[in-house]
């Protein structure tokens, strides 16, 4: 009787051991040790390619899509044409704020020229860059000849490229001479005063300072930013950087 009981117990233990081995083989990954926990597999992307797009996916147009380093807005949206009389803006320094979020080597300012006046008499016209303290950090030579030809978006080279650290800058435009209103026109990304919503000097996104200037001054007082001229229809210009 004892021999039969021992034999039955031994058979039961063997059966249980075989069951545990079988369970380990069916739950483990191929090639893993019996009873081991399978490693989690990497989730596939929604597109089924197995990897997510860099940067989290498409987030709209970027300056680099058009070989630019920065811009005041997508030029595809620069549909408003800004025009003003020579008496209205001549000699005034017009400022458009731009914020850089990474360091760049700034060599050119792109301006969207929408229309020209072949009979205009232009002189002492300049583009430049002021930092957030109002210090002139770069400027062009007289751009009057380029404002008389080719009404397209085009680059105006700075006299000396500079390394621009991240921060706030103001692109400055100075026009002088005589031209027909609504003939010399520029592309714009905002219809004047609305671009300054929620802002006050010296942080205005679009403004003018000074009068009677024939060159860009070495410094400007940004606390004196004015909106009186832009309220008359001198809408915010589109600019790009390269």
């Amino acid at each position: 009787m004892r021999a039969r009981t021992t034999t039955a117990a031994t058979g039961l233990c063997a059966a249980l051991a075989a069951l545990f081995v079988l369970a380990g083989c069916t739950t483990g990954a191929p090639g893993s040790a019996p009873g081991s926990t399978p490693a989690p597999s990497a989730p596939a992307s929604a597109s089924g390619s197995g990897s997510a797009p860099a940067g989290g996916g498409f987030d709209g147009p970027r300056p680099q899509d058009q070989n630019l380093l920065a811009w005041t807005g997508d030029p595809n949206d620069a549909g408003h044409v800004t025009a003003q009389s020579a008496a209205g803006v001549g000699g005034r320094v017009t400022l458009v704020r731009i914020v850089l979020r990474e360091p760049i080597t700034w060599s050119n300012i792109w301006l969207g020229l929408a229309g020209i006046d072949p009979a205009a008499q232009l002189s002492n016209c300049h583009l430049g860059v002021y930092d957030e303290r109002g210090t002139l950090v770069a400027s062009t030579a007289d751009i009057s000849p380029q404002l008389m030809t080719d009404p397209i978006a085009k680059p105006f080279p700075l006299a000396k490229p500079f390394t621009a650290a991240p921060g706030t800058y103001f692109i400055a435009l100075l026009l002088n001479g005589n031209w027909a209103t609504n003939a010399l026109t520029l592309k714009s990304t905002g219809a004047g005063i609305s671009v300054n919503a929620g802002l006050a000097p010296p942080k205005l996104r679009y403004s003018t300072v000074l009068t009677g200037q024939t060159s860009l001054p070495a410094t400007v007082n940004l606390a004196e930013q004015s909106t009186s001229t832009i309220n008359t229809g001198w809408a915010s210009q589109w600019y790009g950087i390269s």
Side-chain angles (χ1 to χ4, degrees):
M1 187 68 179
R2 180 181 301 274
R4 178 177 292 180
T5 302
T6 303
T7 302
T10 302
L12 180 59
C13 291
L16 289 174
L19 181 60
F20 289 147
V21 171
L22 180 61
C25 291
T26 56
T27 58
S32 62
S36 62
T37 303
S41 59
S45 67
S47 63
S49 63
S51 61
F58 179 75
D59 60 356
R62 296 183 178 184
Q64 291 77 12
D65 297 339
Q66 296 190 207
N67 298 315
L68 298 173
L69 299 175
W71 58 26
T72 55
D74 184 354
N76 189 55
D77 299 327
H80 184 85
V81 173
T82 112
Q84 184 59 278
S85 67
V89 301
R92 295 181 184 270
V93 179
T94 300
L95 301 173
V96 174
R97 193 187 76 186
I98 187 168
V99 179
L100 301 181
R101 292 177 170 81
E102 60 184 10
I104 63 169
T105 298
W106 192 333
S107 302
N108 301 282
I109 298 174
W110 286 71
L111 176 106
L113 188 60
I116 62 173
D117 177 6
Q121 296 179 330
L122 304 177
S123 63
N124 300 318
C125 298
H126 298 271
L127 287 166
V129 184
Y130 288 92
D131 64 19
E132 61 185 344
R133 296 181 298 275
T135 301
L136 184 67
V137 293
S139 62
T140 67
D142 189 350
I143 63 173
S144 297
Q146 294 96 318
L147 296 178
M148 298 287 292
T149 60
D150 301 327
I152 58 174
K154 51 187 173 181
F156 294 83
L158 298 174
K160 183 179 180 180
F162 74 104
T163 299
T168 298
Y169 296 86
F170 295 86
I171 297 176
L173 170 67
L174 176 63
L175 299 176
N176 278 293
N178 296 297
W179 63 89
T181 304
N182 296 323
L184 177 60
T185 54
L186 310 175
K187 301 299 288 186
S188 171
T189 54
I193 192 63
S194 62
V195 301
N196 289 320
L199 299 172
K203 298 290 188 179
L204 291 182
R205 190 173 178 183
Y206 183 49
S207 65
T208 65
V209 292
L210 303 175
T211 60
Q213 304 298 304
T214 56
S215 62
L216 292 174
T219 60
V220 295
N221 185 354
L222 295 172
E224 296 177 352
Q225 287 179 314
S226 171
T227 61
S228 59
T229 300
I230 67 177
N231 286 344
T232 65
W234 184 227
S236 178
Q237 294 82 42
W238 175 85
Y239 292 112
I241 298 172
S242 66

